[in-house]
Amino acid sequence: MKVLRTPESRFRNLADYPFEPHYVHVDAGDGTGARLRMHYVDERPADAVKPSGQTILLLHGQPSWSYLYRHVIPPLVAAGHRCIAPDLIGFGRSDKPASRFAYTYQRHVDWLREAVFGRLGLLDVTMVCHDWGGLLGLRLLAEHPGRFRRVVATNTYLPTGDQDVGRAFHAWTQYSQRADPFDAGTVVEAGTISELSPAVKAGYDAPFPDETYRQGARQFPLLVPITAWDEATVPNRNAWAVLQTLSVPFLCAFSDHVILLPQAPNTDDPSYAVPHPDQWLRERIPGAQGQPHTTIADAGHFVQEDRGPELAAIVNRFIDSTR
């Protein structure tokens, strides 16, 4: 497996990203014993702040990296919580296999599992998952429920290939394969209400010096199960069988401008109501019953960019209410 590593010079002096890098190594999954370096942010309360004993795992999606959480982490740390924000393989400071075919849904689950459980040994975790962070994190929740204390899901869901993902998703898939260049900063800005500064867009573009580094980002949309025959269809169905039994406290904090919603199946029934993604989660996961689910106003898909401190406050209140 040929592996690329973004030069460290690309990450110097990024806007509002003062965090020190940390690394673990995970099995590449190609049968050779090769290892991939995976980056994560690990921020803890200062000496003057009483630690809460809570660990928050912040999972990003496509095509962002831990930079997405730069305005969420500081207020949570100030509240006494430890915050860990990994960069998925292929993103951020983490290694990037050069072949897009090295990236599979199962490998992403395995890479993340080994990093946060096998290497970091996290237990009693509060997970905040967004976009692909949910597609991976909800699998980990179903497969290792005993490691989680609570979950906050924002603008994500767990598809099984049994729903029509809709025209917007197909348009996104086409764009992800044809855009030249495929700039992360441009994509993130398209999914926000606020206008991003050139410095912030450069922060999202930093991991990808050229096209050779973007193969993981290009491949992600193609890994979403959209039929009964996709690789992740059966594992995700199995995950739902577990999720529908879990009493782990589960909060939905979606924005009011969510994109890429699942659509109704082919039906002639005009009364069929298309479930909102957070409805799928709220109605099917027992731990979501009776929780103070919220909609974050004036926020796009990348809610952390539009309303980062507000999301942090929601997470902190949820922790306080479920101790």
Side-chain angles (χ1 to χ4, degrees), residues 38-315:
M38 192 168 184
H39 169 260
Y40 64 101
V41 171
D42 190 349
E43 293 291 304
R44 307 179 189 224
D47 292 340
V49 177
K50 182 180 179 181
S52 67
Q54 305 292 317
T55 298
I56 304 175
L57 176 64
L58 302 151
L59 299 180
H60 72 84
Q62 150 87 345
S64 63
W65 56 294
S66 55
Y67 188 75
L68 180 69
Y69 285 103
R70 70 194 184 283
H71 294 146
V72 178
I73 293 172
L76 290 175
V77 172
H81 312 312
R82 178 189 181 190
C83 287
I84 293 178
D87 292 341
L88 300 176
I89 294 296
F91 297 84
R93 276 185 155 120
S94 291
D95 282 350
K96 301 167 182 67
S99 169
R100 66 164 50 198
F101 301 109
Y103 300 90
T104 69
Y105 200 126
Q106 188 59 51
R107 279 183 178 174
H108 271 295
V109 172
D110 293 340
W111 289 330
L112 184 59
R113 177 186 7 248
E114 183 177 356
V116 299
F117 297 152
R119 300 299 163 188
L120 296 179
L122 300 187
L123 290 168
D124 218 23
V125 172
T126 297
M127 178 171 66
V128 179
C129 54
H130 174 260
D131 192 86
W132 258 96
L135 273 71
L136 302 177
L138 295 178
R139 279 279 298 274
L140 293 186
L141 173 63
E143 295 169 13
H144 306 274
R147 288 191 176 262
F148 292 89
R149 178 64 185 85
R150 61 185 69 80
V151 177
V152 177
T154 178
N155 300 345
T156 190
Y157 72 120
L158 186 66
T160 62
D162 299 306
Q163 307 86 24
D164 184 349
V165 293
R167 290 186 296 273
F169 179 80
H170 291 302
W172 158 242
T173 301
Q174 290 292 318
Y175 176 84
S176 70
Q177 304 310 298
R178 296 181 175 182
D180 184 17
F182 181 58
D183 289 334
T186 299
V187 173
V188 173
E189 184 174 50
T192 60
I193 301 299
S194 53
E195 182 178 349
L196 303 189
S197 70
V200 169
K201 291 177 69 175
Y204 285 108
D205 290 334
F208 311 112
D210 59 50
E211 179 62 27
T212 60
Y213 291 80
R214 299 187 181 106
Q215 296 311 296
R218 295 267 196 190
Q219 188 70 0
F220 244 161
L222 303 183
L223 302 181
V224 176
I226 60 174
T227 75
W229 303 278
D230 283 287
E231 172 205 354
T233 291
V234 171
N236 283 13
R237 286 175 182 166
N238 293 340
W240 267 113
V242 177
L243 293 174
Q244 291 178 130
T245 71
L246 292 185
S247 59
V248 175
F250 195 105
L251 180 74
C252 291
F254 280 53
S255 63
D256 60 353
H257 289 76
V258 186
I259 58 174
L260 304 180
L261 303 182
Q263 300 296 308
N266 293 329
T267 177
D268 295 327
D269 181 0
S271 66
Y272 184 90
V274 180
H276 192 279
D278 71 341
Q279 184 179 339
W280 286 98
L281 300 172
R282 286 187 284 112
E283 294 183 353
R284 299 176 70 185
I285 299 176
Q289 303 302 308
Q291 301 297 351
H293 305 293
T294 186
T295 298
I296 302 174
D298 299 320
H301 179 69
F302 295 97
V303 61
Q304 300 90 334
E305 194 62 52
D306 285 320
R307 295 289 182 268
E310 183 175 343
L311 177 61
I314 290 169
V315 173

